[in-house]
Amino acid sequence: MQTEIVTITDVNAQQEELRRAGKILRGGGLVAFPTETVYGLGANGLDAEACARIYEAKGRPSDNPLILHVADRAMIAAIAAEVTPIAEKLIAAFMPGPITLIMKRKDIVPDRITGGLDTVGIRMPEHPVARAMIRAAGVPVAAPSANISGRPSPTTAASVLRDMAGRIPMILDGGACHFGVESTIVDCTGPVATILRPGAITREMLTEVLGGCRLDPAIVGAKVVPKAPGMKYKHYAPKAPLTLLEGDPKGMPAAFRRTVRRLQQEGHTVGVLASREVVTALQDLVPQELLADYGPQGDLLTIAAHIYEELIAFNDTPADVLLGEGTTDKGLGLAIMNRLHKASGFHSLRI
Ligand code: TXA
Ligand code: MG
């Protein structure tokens, strides 16, 4: 199958291309598309056979449910059996935006996509291309991240192509994703909202709107079974093993110099994913192609937007071990640290 890349710079002027994408989706085909978080791999969310093609293209385990992307409230009403008061508040505060709400589902949602659960994840993206494509399809669009299962989520059309070339008919290219980490998943079915996956809608923002919320313990610990089925898989992992250095940002440059020297003396080719401050301090120790600068310390938006692309890029280098710099776990830092911990298999050193 030829994979066509269609660049969308203006959704109003490019209705014809979007209509074509909508037609592929309605016909049971797959279209990859940009959102404000990461690229999604879309199919008609009410068509079990179309959704089966997503699992096939990604090599995704069939017990891992898909989330449904909607353009408006009417589409939520069509698939959610109940919108709880917690869900109402979160819809009002954060939709459209980088959040997915777990709600009780209606029977119209195929079993095949919910992995047999009686709930469904619902996300209303803000990205204009995603919204226009869902409208053109006229149905809720099931979409996981557009990577092969287990690899980092793509945040550019080029990364989608690397994983999906020949497997899907169309990729809509809307440029690089703004946030770079997947949406915050919040379970709204219980008496207290529970964060199942941290993202750009932070714990602090949710607490402000709801007065309180829980964190699924699996987010911070390796040994607990997470409630979002997909969170249990090894994820986001580059090929070379990754170890994180965590602690006081001021001590990072010296800690990296020490650790890099030790590993190099043991004969390793070391790759480093770290802040500008650390990368600057390693110029004489580590060759340029093994140094990935994820942004200035504390600039969490920049860091989130870069980590996946840089983790992927190490796969094309001779690095046989990787060192990464931890951030704060406040605000967007919780999402960044969750992804880094998973990419490293929870392998960390305190400095
Ligand atoms: O930002 C995002 O959410 C992106 C873009 C494309 O929208 N999508 C995305 O989808 O990250 P995916 O499939 O890669 O991750 C969805 C996660 C998985 O971990 C899945 O197990 C979980 O949501 N999930 C889906 N339905 C669920 C449900 N009913 N209950 C609990 N977790 C669910
Ligand atoms: Mg994913």
Side-chain angles (χ1 to χ4, degrees), residues 128-340:
V129 175
R131 296 175 68 74
M133 186 201 73
I134 299 166
R135 276 207 206 90
V139 288
V141 173
S145 49
N147 50 291
I148 303 256
S149 258
R151 297 206 191 145
S153 300
T155 61
T156 63
S159 287
V160 177
L161 189 65
R162 197 154 35 201
D163 277 11
M164 292 298 152
R167 294 172 184 241
I168 61 173
M170 186 186 272
I171 300 174
L172 298 178
D173 182 351
C177 300
H178 177 68
F179 291 112
V181 291
E182 305 85 349
S183 61
T184 307
I185 302 180
V186 183
D187 184 348
C188 300
T189 58
V192 183
T194 305
I195 302 176
L196 305 186
R197 178 176 72 184
I201 303 298
T202 63
R203 180 186 199 173
E204 293 82 350
M205 291 159 79
L206 293 166
T207 304
E208 195 174 315
V209 168
L210 299 175
C213 70
R214 291 182 55 234
L215 259 192
D216 184 359
I219 290 169
V220 282
K223 294 190 188 68
V224 193
V225 178
K227 228 186 134 191
M231 296 290 279
K232 72 173 175 277
Y233 298 105
K234 186 172 177 204
H235 237 95
Y236 322 116
K239 288 181 189 149
L242 169 69
T243 298
L244 303 180
L245 300 192
E246 294 189 64
D248 180 8
K250 287 198 208 63
M252 283 294 172
F256 267 84
R257 286 189 69 83
R258 268 197 314 277
T259 315
V260 166
R261 275 220 193 82
R262 177 170 57 74
L263 289 165
Q264 287 176 338
Q265 275 159 13
E266 290 168 6
H268 288 294
T269 304
V270 186
V272 174
L273 169 67
S275 65
R276 190 144 312 155
E277 287 83 345
V278 164
V279 165
T280 306
L282 294 177
Q283 292 296 321
D284 59 325
L285 278 185
V286 181
Q288 210 51 46
E289 70 272 19
L290 296 176
L291 278 177
D293 168 359
Y294 66 29
Q297 278 180 344
D299 182 352
L300 299 177
L301 259 178
T302 301
I303 296 171
H306 286 109
I307 50 174
Y308 284 147
E309 287 299 318
E310 284 172 353
L311 283 172
I312 295 171
F314 279 118
N315 291 342
D316 299 324
T317 73
D320 65 355
V321 293
L322 302 177
L323 287 178
E325 179 179 350
T327 66
T328 170
D329 59 7
K330 299 280 180 303
L332 185 55
L334 185 65
I336 295 170
M337 287 312 294
N338 170 253
R339 305 318 191 268
L340 287 176

Side-chain angles (χ1 to χ4, degrees), residues 33-34 70-72 96-97 124-136:
F33 62 99
V70 300
D72 50 38
M124 191 190 293
E126 189 166 31
H127 197 293
V129 175
R131 296 175 68 74
M133 186 201 73
I134 299 166
R135 276 207 206 90

